[in-house]
Amino acid sequence: MRGAAVSPSDLSHPAKPETVFDRDAEWDALVAFSSATRIGAGLGVVSGRLRQGKTYLLKALTAALGGFYFGAQPATQAESLRRLGDELAKHTGASPPNHWRGWEDAVDALLALGDARPVPIVVDEFTDLVRQSPALPSVIHSAYRRLRESGRDNRARLVLSGSALPVMQRLFCSASPLHELADLELTLRPLDFRQAARFWGIDDPGLALLVHAVVGGTLAYQHYCGDHAPSGPDDFDAWMCRVVLNPRTPLFLEAHHLLQEETDHWDRALCHSVLAAVASGCSTQGEIAECLGIPLTEASHCLALLQANALLHGEPDAFRPNLVRLHITEPLLAFEHAAIWPHRSALEQQEVVKVWRRVRPVFDSAVARPHFAQVCRDWVMAFADPAVFGARPSTAAHGSLPDPVHHADLEADVVVRGRVDVRSGALLSVGVARWDEVMDVHHLEHLRRLLALLGARGEEVAHTRCACYSGVGFTPELRSAEADGDVVLVGLDRLYGGR
């Protein structure tokens, strides 16, 4: 069947389908690129980890603009070319091609779709095709060069999408022949914590944070949970048992599958062990290597792989920049390796309630608490009004300093520094985050002691604001300190709805 006819007047700004949640900026960028009327073929790049909705969004785009979509699969080159020819024939209403000599002819046929008008041409999971045909990027570059030299009025808008982040980065880095062609580079990231709460339909901020600590902002996981969220805070434990830890649900093995797909056949056992070490509190390369009893070089190789696939993130300590701390970026992996990994066998034997009762304290301390601190840092960067800290923040990170009096580290969970164009690296705020503690003046005294130590080290702290972040609440004394301007207080309601 020929692709649906779309008049030029309908192509400019089609409304995003109601079935596509959020992604407004991404939709607008894709539509603007795909419907741009300038002469000359364009190239767009869409990347993002698995399960983030890339395919759904790109299929919606081609449907709205009368474009062409092809989803690549692991296969031989001949099989992929045959599938592409069949799909292209269905789209154009022509007979399947029987004369393609290789990707040169296939790419020319795809770009020819843009001879009549601007049209999006999506090749999804492009990295699968490159694995089959390593010369494909050069073939595409040559096809664009031939189009330019011919002077043909072509307005193809080719979109190459992929989930293998290291491969996509390599394909479109500055040394790649495709880099200079790219007009659009778009990355689909997981939903932030506020978007995720809306997506799951959760109004209670405490419950929203607990669910986010388990499944994060990955859209597909709602479907994996049977499209059911906990009905309320009192239903969270039961929901964990009947859905998340239930061996019969798709989410049960998702952490294993995610690591299997993202690490591309590397040493998965070591990757699991490294993630378990990070989830247990090891945050530097040295600590991880020592915990696992492996050489530092072996740990570094695995850590580099996990970071390249956006499963781990390294962040300099806010007070000691040479100290890089690692944390797991995918909440489901952090939850799995902090709380569930040692109990897989018991769960598979249907001892779900017993296991959850045993690991719930571990979940609270090793999963929910650090996740709450990360959400607080995310709030600072994405939602806090600049007036809260006196300037627009540049970074919000964890920081620690040795305390010479107590011979232990003084820690701050949310250290906010200013942007270069305001006060270069200015220390705007130091804060502590406590998921399950009612915070009082002792927490404020801790921050003041930290500021005194920083001041003694030469840090400018005269305008630094103390902040307390709590998932439970604050004492009246601390509320009075807030009224006097001595501390910034941020609770769950403010995290999820305020600035």
Side-chain angles (χ1 to χ4, degrees):
M1 178 182 295
R2 183 177 298 276
V6 181
S7 69
S9 62
D10 294 332
L11 290 174
S12 54
H13 295 289
K16 187 191 71 175
E18 293 182 0
T19 53
V20 176
F21 179 81
D22 203 89
R23 304 300 192 197
D24 294 337
E26 292 88 346
W27 177 264
D28 290 343
L30 285 166
V31 168
F33 164 77
S34 300
S35 57
T37 57
R38 65 171 179 80
I39 297 175
L43 179 67
V45 182
V46 177
S47 59
R49 283 194 7 239
L50 293 164
R51 324 284 198 260
Q52 305 308 321
K54 295 187 302 299
T55 295
Y56 197 85
L57 181 66
L58 292 171
K59 284 185 174 180
L61 175 76
T62 54
L65 292 175
F68 174 71
Y69 173 91
F70 176 71
Q73 296 174 345
T76 65
Q77 174 176 304
E79 171 68 12
S80 293
L81 284 168
R82 191 178 80 249
R83 283 190 58 242
L84 176 59
D86 290 343
E87 293 296 322
L88 190 58
K90 290 178 184 177
H91 178 76
T92 62
S95 300
N98 55 15
H99 60 281
W100 280 356
R101 292 162 297 179
W103 278 111
E104 291 82 359
D105 291 337
V107 172
D108 286 343
L110 286 174
L111 294 178
L113 294 174
D115 283 344
R117 62 177 178 86
V119 61
I121 305 157
V122 173
V123 178
D124 203 1
E125 295 305 337
F126 175 67
T127 50
D128 282 338
L129 299 181
V130 176
R131 287 190 180 99
Q132 305 157 24
S133 310
L136 182 53
S138 295
V139 169
I140 294 173
H141 183 268
S142 297
Y144 274 73
R145 188 187 67 246
R146 289 195 301 273
L147 273 180
R148 286 198 303 267
E149 292 173 351
S150 72
R152 203 164 92 214
D153 182 2
N154 180 279
R155 306 181 193 197
R157 304 295 180 244
L158 181 62
V159 178
L160 305 177
S161 173
S163 303
L165 297 185
V167 181
M168 291 294 287
Q169 291 164 3
R170 186 169 65 251
L171 288 175
F172 297 96
C173 69
S174 57
S176 165
L178 296 180
H179 175 75
E180 64 186 61
L181 298 177
D183 302 299
L184 171 71
E185 296 187 33
L186 189 65
T187 301
L188 260 67
R189 295 181 171 82
L191 302 176
D192 64 48
F193 66 97
R194 286 189 176 182
Q195 292 169 326
R198 294 197 304 272
F199 181 67
W200 283 83
I202 301 175
D203 296 326
D204 183 277
L207 177 61
L209 189 132
L210 287 174
V211 171
H212 193 260
V214 177
V215 295
T218 297
L219 286 84
Y221 294 164
Q222 186 187 76
H223 179 65
Y224 288 9
C225 291
D227 298 319
H228 294 300
S231 60
D234 294 339
D235 187 44
F236 177 74
D237 290 317
W239 177 78
M240 289 294 296
C241 292
R242 70 175 179 265
V243 175
V244 177
L245 303 180
N246 184 346
R248 294 187 295 272
T249 63
L251 195 66
F252 182 73
L253 290 176
E254 171 60 13
H256 172 77
H257 292 155
L258 181 64
L259 199 60
Q260 184 177 38
E261 292 166 338
E262 296 282 14
T263 53
D264 197 23
H265 307 296
W266 205 71
D267 188 343
R268 297 193 190 104
L270 180 57
C271 289
H272 279 296
S273 295
V274 164
L275 290 172
V278 175
S280 71
C282 300
S283 61
T284 66
Q285 289 191 22
E287 290 174 349
I288 292 166
E290 183 179 357
C291 175
L292 299 181
I294 60 175
L296 187 61
T297 52
E298 190 174 349
S300 298
H301 187 186
C302 184
L303 292 170
L305 176 75
L306 293 169
Q307 290 184 79
N309 284 279
L311 300 178
L312 271 183
H313 176 66
E315 190 170 61
D317 186 279
F319 303 135
R320 295 180 281 179
N322 292 331
L323 177 62
V324 176
R325 299 184 184 278
L326 296 159
H327 71 268
I328 301 171
T329 58
E330 171 53 58
L332 186 68
L333 286 179
F335 164 70
E336 167 76 21
H337 291 88
I340 302 304
W341 189 247
H343 306 283
R344 278 274 164 193
S345 178
L347 289 170
E348 289 167 355
Q349 297 173 32
Q350 305 297 318
E351 299 178 11
V352 177
V353 175
K354 183 188 299 184
V355 169
W356 178 241
R357 190 178 298 121
R358 188 185 314 153
V359 304
R360 177 65 200 260
V362 178
F363 170 79
D364 290 335
S365 61
V367 180
R369 286 177 191 172
H371 189 77
F372 176 70
Q374 182 59 51
V375 164
C376 293
R377 293 188 286 268
D378 293 343
W379 176 83
V380 167
M381 297 303 298
F383 301 108
D385 192 296
V388 172
F389 303 112
R392 190 171 297 279
S394 175
T395 60
H398 179 277
S400 64
L401 277 183
D403 185 347
V405 176
H406 299 90
H407 304 290
D409 281 354
L410 277 176
E411 307 219 9
D413 301 293
V414 188
V415 180
V416 185
R417 290 191 179 275
R419 293 184 183 274
V420 172
D421 59 348
V422 182
R423 303 204 310 270
S424 180
L427 185 61
L428 302 180
S429 174
V430 293
V432 286
R434 297 293 184 265
W435 163 243
D436 51 3
E437 291 181 34
V438 175
M439 302 185 76
D440 58 25
V441 292
H442 295 95
H443 297 95
L444 180 55
E445 291 168 0
H446 167 88
L447 293 172
R448 287 170 173 165
R449 189 164 68 251
L450 178 59
L451 286 178
L453 183 59
L454 288 167
R457 289 166 54 94
E459 185 95 49
E460 174 56 56
V461 298
H463 302 287
T464 303
R465 302 182 182 183
C466 296
C468 291
Y469 305 79
S470 175
V472 181
F474 311 96
T475 62
E477 292 79 9
L478 202 56
R479 286 290 186 189
S480 296
E482 177 190 35
D484 293 336
D486 295 333
V487 63
V488 174
L489 301 184
V490 181
L492 284 171
D493 288 341
R494 191 171 183 181
L495 283 176
Y496 275 86
R499 291 175 55 81

